[in-house]
Amino acid sequence: MTTFDANGITLERVREHVWEIPQEGDMRVPARVLASEALLEEIQDDKTLEQITNTTHLPGITNYAICMPDGHQGYGFPVGGVGALDAENGCISPGAVGYDINCGVRMMRTNLTYDDVQGHEEELVDSLFANIPSGLGGGGIVEGGVDTIDEILARGVDWALENGHAVEDDLRHCEDEGMREGAAPEKVSQKAKDRGKNQIGSLGSGNHFLEVQRVTDVFDSGVGEAYGLEEDQIVVLIHCGSRGLGHQTCNDYLRKIEQQHKGLLDRLPDRELAAAPAGSQLAEDYYGAMNAAINFAWVNRQLIMHRTRQVFERVFDRSWESMEMDLLYDVAHNIAKKETHTVSAEPRSADGASGVEPRIDGEERELYVHRKGATRAFPAGHPEVPDAYRDVGQPVIIPGSMGAGSYVLRGGENSMDLTFGSTAHGAGRLMSRTQAKNEFWGGDVQQDLEDQQAIYVKAQSGATIAEEAPGVYKDVDEVVRVSDELGIGDKVARTFPVCNIKG
DNA sequence: ATGTGC
């Protein structure tokens, strides 16, 4: 058997790109890492493998804990982790969703070509930067009171539609039509709402950005046509999340769960995995609050997209409708969701007594599918794929670094069997932000991108550019190659940056 | 990611 030894953790090769950390000790299931050897080498020295192993201790974990090709260490649970926890007998874990609830990306098409935009890059990037709030702190497209926040939390993009920030078609091209069921605004703290109320429609900082891109390759012309993508076309990619509101919500519930479910916490190998047992009041409350924060993030991306249409109208002196600036799709990267999946038989529990009814092989179970730094990737035919894409599969949008470009994939036919319908979410970081600032200087990075690749970047802070320098990320081509070869997310198109604004 | 702290 081929093995990979990573600093004391041995992975067994199941088949190409599939590695397993066998079940032992208090692990309830094995862990799986979906990666090439080159990608494994990049996570052998940090805590990624330890964290995905720790995840297998969570009650109700089903089949495997899974680390995606772009996985790297995170808070308790790896970024790039998928954990499906039984919604009846298992638990829900805020650390396995992430601090930035519904951080995600959306792509908007246009009918412009690169020729139309060349020569306007600086005007475009300046106008986007001036009109779309970014950076840390407050200031959003909409200034809301408490009533506004509560409506946004409850209704998501439906609120944006009613208030002139969306068209019907936008809702049809977003998961859950931009409105997550089960949102409970009353379970979001006043403090979280206060942080969110002046951040409605704002990019934030860190790896969040808005990028104008050109399509350089269409690998699958049939799916490309269904997605409305062709070579040389201009598209816009928006990457942001739920800002201070989601961060505060995660923090609030981590603290509550640590206090009220200490018994479970004491049995876990890392307190950052703190989880509320399924059926408990806190599990219900967190799920309701998280769903509300998900709606906030969708509104955030919607307002930014709609404002981008207005910026293009001014720069190109045409209506956005005539430029066919339609939403391709919006994907969430940090969420938990109740989904029904076909599962394997209950594996033996470490102490010989799981205390729950054993599962039957092939049984359908309702699971809290936690995807943290991972994307839903449902295949063709799945009922939750929007009508427009049902025959080809769900669009998956994978941003690379600002010097590398991004990919559009479609949910692959193996995703339901291998990954609870999931794939990677990005290139994945190679080094910490602190390390990045020691290696790069923002002004140099910005100048090199412009001189060498004709990519125009404008940011609130030079430090942010250094933290997000292309050299800070893994090779997005390698991540996508693994996803494609596993058949969990298939390559459809590739894009390259034209201009980029960030915090 | 984050009014850059658990």
Side-chain angles (χ1 to χ4, degrees):
Chain A
M1 184 206 315
T2 307
T3 59
F4 185 96
D5 189 25
N7 270 334
I9 295 179
T10 301
L11 297 106
E12 297 176 354
R13 187 180 183 278
V14 178
R15 60 180 177 277
E16 186 166 35
H17 305 323
V18 180
W19 301 84
E20 195 158 298
I21 302 170
Q23 186 185 348
E24 60 167 39
D26 289 335
M27 293 169 71
R28 292 169 186 264
V29 292
R32 280 194 163 185
V33 181
L34 307 181
S36 59
E37 289 201 41
L39 289 168
L40 270 188
E41 280 166 18
E42 286 167 351
I43 53 173
Q44 61 184 334
D45 296 320
D46 69 12
K47 287 187 173 171
T48 313
L49 298 172
E50 183 186 324
Q51 288 183 337
I52 199 67
T53 306
N54 289 342
T55 302
T56 68
H57 294 233
L58 287 166
I61 187 146
T62 299
N63 295 5
Y64 319 97
I66 309 161
C67 182
M68 294 295 142
D70 56 335
H72 61 92
Q73 113 182 23
Y75 178 90
F77 188 93
V79 176
V82 173
L85 310 181
D86 197 287
E88 191 184 349
N89 303 314
C91 58
I92 187 165
S93 171
V97 170
Y99 268 90
D100 190 2
I101 297 166
N102 194 9
C103 175
V105 293
R106 62 169 55 192
M107 182 176 279
M108 176 168 60
R109 291 184 291 254
T110 77
N111 63 13
L112 303 177
T113 65
Y114 188 44
D115 279 350
D116 296 326
V117 170
Q118 267 186 303
H120 297 282
E121 293 99 331
E122 285 180 88
E123 183 189 358
L124 189 56
V125 78
D126 287 345
S127 187
L128 288 165
F129 192 75
N131 287 287
I132 293 168
S134 65
L136 284 170
I141 288 169
V142 167
E143 295 294 322
V146 177
D147 292 353
T148 306
I149 280 283
D150 279 339
E151 281 217 49
I152 289 170
L153 293 175
R155 294 168 54 205
V157 184
D158 191 44
W159 172 88
L161 177 65
E162 189 178 285
N163 287 274
H165 305 288
V167 294
E168 290 269 3
D169 190 64
D170 297 336
L171 278 65
R172 283 194 287 273
H173 295 88
C174 185
E175 182 178 340
D176 295 331
E177 302 199 328
M179 182 166 83
R180 183 60 91 84
E181 294 288 326
E186 70 280 9
K187 301 299 182 187
V188 174
S189 70
Q190 193 56 50
K191 193 175 177 186
K193 291 175 187 175
D194 284 340
R195 286 181 69 172
K197 72 184 180 197
N198 61 351
Q199 299 181 329
I200 309 165
S202 64
L203 269 180
S205 186
N207 63 356
H208 291 162
F209 63 81
L210 181 151
E211 194 165 271
V212 178
Q213 309 179 323
R214 66 183 198 268
V215 177
T216 53
D217 307 272
V218 175
F219 306 107
D220 183 323
S221 56
V223 183
E225 193 180 342
Y227 290 175
L229 294 174
E230 50 190 74
E231 286 175 17
D232 219 33
Q233 177 185 1
I234 293 294
V235 295
V236 179
L237 190 67
I238 295 163
H239 179 200
C240 64
S242 50
R243 303 292 327 273
L245 183 141
H247 189 273
Q248 187 65 46
T249 300
C250 179
N251 204 49
D252 289 342
Y253 281 94
L254 279 171
R255 299 294 91 84
K256 284 186 190 179
I257 290 169
E258 284 170 359
Q259 287 168 13
Q260 290 185 36
H261 295 289
K262 200 165 177 309
L264 173 53
L265 186 62
D266 289 344
R267 299 204 306 276
L268 297 173
D270 183 349
R271 68 182 295 105
E272 294 183 354
L273 283 177
S280 68
Q281 186 65 49
L282 266 185
E284 295 300 316
D285 290 356
Y286 171 68
Y287 194 61
M290 181 202 64
N291 285 335
I294 285 172
N295 285 337
F296 182 89
W298 273 331
V299 168
N300 201 16
R301 291 197 283 278
Q302 176 65 39
L303 295 195
I304 291 167
M305 181 180 80
H306 205 62
R307 177 61 65 87
T308 301
R309 289 168 169 160
Q310 294 160 352
V311 169
F312 270 66
E313 286 187 329
R314 264 172 275 166
V315 171
F316 296 103
D317 197 26
R318 294 169 56 187
S319 73
W320 70 262
E321 291 92 344
S322 77
M323 289 181 277
E324 298 180 275
M325 299 182 75
D326 300 321
L327 177 58
L328 170 61
Y329 201 56
D330 180 299
V331 295
H333 287 161
N334 282 10
I335 54 104
K337 190 173 189 180
K338 280 184 188 171
E339 293 175 7
T340 302
H341 288 265
T342 307
V343 306
S344 306
E346 178 93 13
R348 66 181 171 82
S349 68
D351 55 7
S354 65
V356 299
E357 288 292 305
R359 284 194 291 263
I360 302 155
D361 203 34
E363 188 186 0
E364 302 241 298
R365 295 291 303 176
E366 189 169 56
L367 308 168
Y368 285 121
V369 181
H370 297 64
R371 298 188 183 92
K372 176 184 180 181
T375 310
R376 195 182 78 169
F378 284 170
H382 194 291
E384 291 207 32
V385 178
D387 292 346
Y389 308 133
R390 184 80 44 82
D391 292 344
V392 294
Q394 180 210 306
V396 172
I397 302 149
I398 300 197
S401 74
M402 58 185 163
S406 306
Y407 277 89
V408 178
L409 283 65
R410 57 100 172 244
E413 63 175 5
N414 297 332
S415 71
M416 301 312 284
D417 289 337
L418 283 180
T419 55
F420 298 98
S422 317
T423 189
H425 87 304
R429 290 191 81 85
L430 273 175
M431 63 179 85
S432 70
R433 296 180 182 282
T434 315
Q435 204 181 339
K437 278 181 282 195
N438 292 330
E439 302 250 353
F440 300 101
W441 194 64
D444 289 343
V445 173
Q446 189 177 25
Q447 199 62 53
D448 287 351
L449 285 166
E450 186 174 325
D451 293 348
Q452 292 164 24
Q453 302 189 95
I455 299 168
Y456 295 79
V457 177
K458 203 166 168 104
Q460 297 284 355
S461 142
T464 306
I465 300 181
E467 289 173 3
E468 296 299 318
V472 164
Y473 283 91
K474 295 177 195 174
D475 180 0
V476 69
D477 297 305
E478 177 72 356
V479 168
V480 167
R481 182 178 75 88
V482 171
S483 171
D484 184 77
E485 289 179 6
L486 283 168
I488 56 176
D490 308 330
K491 281 162 63 165
V492 176
R494 199 187 194 294
T495 65
F496 194 81
V498 174
C499 62
N500 178 306
I501 64 164
K502 49 204 301 95

